[in-house]
Amino acid sequence: AQSVTQPDIHITVSEGASLELRCNYSYGATPYLFWYVQSPGQGLQLLLKYFSGDTLVQGIKGFEAEFKRSQSSFNLRKPSVHWSDAAEYFCAVAPIYNQGGKLIFGQGTELSVKP
Amino acid sequence: DTGVSQNPRHKITKRGQNVTFRCDPISEHNRLYWYRQTLGQGPEFLTYFQNEAQLEKSRLLSDRFSAERPKGSFSTLEIQRTEQGDSAMYLCASRSPTVLSTDTQYFGPGTRLTVL
């Protein structure tokens, strides 16, 4: 079955530490890949996206993600976390066969940042 | 660019009542999407419009749900005879008028529905 998996429901890191959020997908062909962030009371904001080319993608707020086809993964990273990064992070895919562009989301990873 | 807006932000209703939510997309965005997000889960696709045409509906969209976009601008999502299981955040997103699935969907803040 087609799915997006974020194995970590909740992660806590210290401010200034590095961060990696995991995302795995299961599709017949490589879909388009996205990471969104959701802060309380806010809508989802796009951090970055991948659809082709360089497998290391740079996004906003100092985030980057690396696409690994062999592992069907699209993990999100940040070298140094700030307290304002505390939020919920969602990995999403858009199947390339679906011209409507609907997004299929993982269940999310909640990030807490310790001072 | 004023962003995607949704009203109301919060709605509390009693089981069996009808509710209607409104979404105003970014102007000139011809694609509009509705998603539902329950506690602890990621958003789930419900339906989408291209201009005024509703082109895809999820199996999640039961007969009690109806969505419209009469003039290709704002959209409404109505839930009839609400049930407690309908309690969720309803998110709207819009996208610019291209055919690329890679284009960014911009999300509104959502309408949180609580059914008592």
Side-chain angles (χ1 to χ4, degrees), chain A residues 32 34 36 38 41-44 46 49-51 88 90 94-96 98-108, chain B residues 9 31 33 35 37 40-45 48 56 89 91 95 99-110:
Chain A
Y32 304 127
F34 305 80
Y36 280 84
Q38 186 177 39
Q42 304 294 317
L44 290 154
L46 181 71
K49 60 186 179 183
Y50 171 81
F51 50 94
E88 186 133 28
F90 293 95
I96 59 174
N98 184 295
Q99 292 304 307
K102 68 181 181 183
L103 295 172
I104 298 170
F105 288 85
Q107 70 177 83
Chain B
R9 294 291 304 273
R31 290 201 174 186
Y33 301 80
Y35 294 84
Q37 184 179 20
Q41 300 297 319
E44 296 172 290
F45 170 79
Y48 94 94
E56 186 175 351
M89 177 77 84
L91 297 167
R95 209 185 86 180
V99 296
L100 298 177
S101 293
T102 57
D103 285 345
T104 299
Q105 290 186 26
Y106 293 88
F107 282 81

Side-chain angles (χ1 to χ4, degrees), chain A:
Chain A
Q2 300 170 339
S3 65
V4 179
T5 302
Q6 294 180 246
D8 305 303
I9 295 174
H10 190 193
I11 284 182
T12 300
V13 299
S14 298
E15 190 168 16
S18 64
L19 171 70
E20 182 169 26
L21 302 182
R22 296 183 290 164
C23 173
N24 293 93
Y25 63 88
S26 174
Y27 278 93
T30 301
Y32 304 127
L33 299 157
F34 305 80
W35 274 99
Y36 280 84
V37 61
Q38 186 177 39
S39 299
Q42 304 294 317
L44 290 154
Q45 181 182 23
L46 181 71
L47 289 174
L48 47 77
K49 60 186 179 183
Y50 171 81
F51 50 94
S52 68
D54 192 345
T55 56
L56 187 61
V57 180
Q58 301 298 318
I60 63 171
K61 304 185 180 186
F63 285 93
E64 66 178 27
E66 185 173 13
F67 167 61
K68 292 185 177 179
R69 185 187 306 274
S70 61
Q71 298 177 19
S72 297
S73 68
F74 188 56
N75 294 349
L76 182 72
R77 301 195 295 246
K78 186 169 185 178
S80 177
V81 169
H82 188 262
W83 64 267
S84 61
D85 293 324
E88 186 133 28
Y89 292 79
F90 293 95
C91 179
V93 305
I96 59 174
Y97 59 81
N98 184 295
Q99 292 304 307
K102 68 181 181 183
L103 295 172
I104 298 170
F105 288 85
Q107 70 177 83
T109 297
E110 184 178 358
L111 173 65
S112 298
V113 180
K114 291 191 301 186

